[in-house]
């Protein structure tokens, strides 16, 4: 049986990422931000999630070494 704790964490990360993407797109559609701003925000959002994902993976790997 799959670990429900891990599935909940993955679901929360995917949901938060999706909600932030939707928020940026809503701002773009309402002309609150420009296309360039929206693109920059989406690239930064992807970079943050990717960067923190790498940091968490390295932290867990180092924890297993001890």
């Amino acid at each position: 049986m799959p670990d429900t704790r891990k599935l909940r964490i993955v679901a929360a990360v995917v949901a938060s990422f999706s909600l932030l993407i939707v928020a940026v797109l809503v701002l773009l559609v309402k002309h609150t931000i420009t296309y360039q701003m929206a693109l920059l925000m989406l690239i930064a959002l992807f970079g943050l999630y990717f960067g923190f994902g790498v940091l968490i993976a390295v932290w867990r790997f180092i924890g297993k070494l001890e």
Side-chain angles (χ1 to χ4, degrees):
M1 185 161 172
D3 188 11
T4 58
R5 183 172 183 260
K6 288 181 183 178
L7 290 176
R8 285 183 185 173
I9 292 172
V10 169
V13 169
V14 169
S16 68
F17 187 71
S18 299
L19 286 174
L20 288 170
I21 288 176
V22 168
V24 170
L25 292 177
V26 166
L27 290 173
L28 178 63
V29 169
K30 288 186 176 184
H31 300 290
T32 306
I33 59 175
T34 63
Y35 174 75
Q36 289 84 9
M37 274 186 180
L39 189 60
L40 182 62
M41 290 171 79
L42 292 174
I43 291 171
L45 179 66
F46 178 74
L48 282 170
Y49 272 76
F50 181 76
F52 279 114
V54 169
L55 284 175
I56 290 170
V58 169
W59 176 62
R60 289 183 56 110
F61 177 70
I62 289 173
K64 288 182 181 181
L65 290 177
E66 293 177 352

